[in-house]
Amino acid sequence: MRDFTHKIYRDFLTALKKRNFQFITVEEYFNSEYNEDKPFIIIRHDVDRRPKSSLKMAKIENSMGIKATYYFRTISQTFKPDIIREIANLKHEIGYHYESLAETNGNYEKAIEDFAKNLYRLREIYPVKSISMHGRPTSKWDSRLLWKRYNYRDYGVLSEPYLDIDFKEVLYITDAGREWNNELINRRDRVDSSFNFRFNHTEEIISNINRGVLPNKIMVNIHPEHWAEGNIEWYRVLFIRKIKNFVKKQFLS
Ligand SMILES: [Zn+2]
C-alpha cells in the first residue's frame, strides 16, 4: 500500500482523534494551554518548499477541526504571503523556519541580521513567536549554533522546539527524507530521545495509536511536500525524493 498520501494522513488524524488526543500548537504547548489529563500531539510542519502542498494539508486539518504549526522558510519559492495568510486564517499557527547560519556560510554577524530581517518579513503577516531550524543537508553549518552567541528571546521569540522541548518526555516522529525517523538520510532533524520507535509505514504508526502503545505526549514533524493527493502527484514526489536522498547520502558518506 502506498504511503504518504492524503488519505493515509486523514486516517492518521482520525486514529488520534479516536484515542482522544488533543491537537495543540507549539505556542499552546509552551503556554500550557492544554488539558494535562489528556494525551496531546503537536503537529508541526516544516514548509521547506512547495507551499501549496502545505495549504492543501492545512485545509484537510481545518476540515477535521485540527490546528497545526507551520514553519515557513523565507526563500523566494516558499515565502508566499497569500498562502501564509490563508493558512493562518484556517486557525493554524505560523513560525519561522530559519537557516541563517547556513545562508551566510557561518558568518554570525551577517546571520543574525538575516534572521532578524526575515523574522520581520514574516511578522508583517503573522505575529511569529516560534522558530525551528531548517537543516540544509548540503551545508556544513548547523543554524542552531547561532544561539550559542545570540539569544532568540531578545527577538521576541519564545521557543525553538529543538532546544526547548525535552524529547526524553515527548516522543518525536519525523518524516524527514520521506521516511519515518530515518537517521541515515536525515542529518540534522534528530533529537535526543528516550524512545525507540521505528516505523516503516504510516500504517504502522496508526496501528500503534490504535493499540494505545504510543506515549501520551507526541510531536510529529510532517513536511507537506512529501505527501500527495492523486497518483501523478504521488509519483512526482517519489521521483524527486529518490534523487534527493541519493544526493544526501553522497554528502553524508
Ligand atoms: Zn526544513
Side-chain angles (χ1 to χ4, degrees):
M1 188 197 189
R2 274 188 210 157
D3 203 354
F4 303 106
T5 64
H6 284 173
K7 176 177 180 313
I8 290 177
Y9 187 59
R10 284 193 196 91
D11 292 348
F12 167 70
L13 298 176
T14 303
L16 288 161
K17 282 185 132 185
K18 279 193 187 146
R19 276 270 159 191
N20 275 320
F21 272 85
Q22 310 166 77
F23 295 85
I24 60 172
T25 65
V26 172
E27 211 176 316
E28 285 171 335
Y29 173 74
F30 283 101
N31 292 335
S32 303
E33 291 168 31
Y34 56 93
N35 181 345
E36 299 211 359
D37 300 324
K38 279 174 68 180
F40 71 70
I41 182 158
I42 309 164
I43 298 184
R44 152 185 166 191
H45 297 292
D46 286 354
V47 186
D48 286 354
R49 50 190 79 78
R50 302 186 71 83
K52 278 187 187 157
S53 58
S54 286
L55 180 57
K56 280 188 198 158
M57 213 161 231
K59 286 180 178 168
I60 292 171
E61 290 156 346
N62 179 265
S63 74
M64 297 175 74
I66 287 168
K67 280 181 291 183
T69 305
Y70 286 80
Y71 288 97
F72 274 81
R73 288 172 81 189
T74 51
I75 55 170
S76 59
Q77 65 192 104
T78 307
F79 183 79
K80 301 288 178 201
D82 289 349
I83 292 180
I84 299 173
R85 227 169 263 126
E86 210 175 330
I87 291 178
N89 286 341
L90 293 166
K91 310 266 186 292
H92 299 297
E93 195 169 293
I94 307 295
Y96 172 26
H97 200 36
Y98 66 99
E99 54 197 302
S100 305
L101 208 53
E103 178 65 27
T104 60
N105 258 316
N107 183 320
Y108 281 74
E109 288 76 24
K110 282 190 182 157
I112 196 69
E113 271 175 35
D114 173 88
F115 176 83
K117 182 188 79 193
N118 289 319
L119 182 63
Y120 179 80
R121 286 168 72 210
L122 270 170
R123 280 183 174 160
E124 290 188 309
I125 306 168
Y126 185 92
V128 171
K129 294 271 171 49
S130 183
I131 57 172
S132 78
M133 175 270 311
H134 171 64
R136 249 193 228 186
T138 54
S139 171
K140 69 172 182 155
W141 292 99
D142 182 327
S143 287
R144 282 169 293 198
L145 292 173
L146 195 55
W147 313 125
K148 297 248 182 242
R149 203 173 292 189
Y150 301 97
N151 186 346
Y152 45 78
R153 292 187 175 84
D154 294 342
Y155 295 83
V157 170
L158 304 179
S159 65
E160 188 344 334
Y162 284 119
L163 303 174
D164 295 321
I165 292 182
D166 179 1
F167 289 107
K168 292 200 160 57
E169 205 183 297
V170 178
L171 171 66
Y172 186 67
I173 311 173
T174 175
D175 70 350
R178 202 169 177 268
E179 291 188 23
W180 292 111
N181 288 8
N182 186 346
E183 300 196 339
L184 294 175
I185 44 172
N186 160 21
R187 182 180 189 180
R188 298 215 169 92
D189 183 14
R190 328 169 156 190
V191 298
D192 190 6
S193 174
S194 52
F195 304 103
N196 191 17
F197 288 98
R198 185 83 177 83
F199 309 108
N200 292 308
H201 197 289
T202 308
E203 284 293 329
E204 290 176 22
I205 303 179
I206 294 171
S207 91
N208 275 275
I209 295 167
N210 292 338
R211 286 185 290 124
V213 293
L214 291 189
N216 280 341
K217 300 174 179 181
I218 303 173
M219 171 179 264
V220 63
N221 185 1
I222 286 174
H223 297 73
E225 73 201 55
H226 295 341
W227 298 68
E229 185 78 71
N231 288 346
I232 296 170
E233 173 74 0
W234 192 87
Y235 281 108
R236 189 195 61 74
V237 172
L238 179 72
F239 179 67
I240 291 174
R241 188 39 48 186
K242 283 212 182 294
I243 295 170
K244 290 209 164 173
N245 285 357
F246 175 78
V247 173
K248 275 190 189 177
K249 278 177 185 156
Q250 310 308 306
F251 268 97
L252 297 180
S253 59

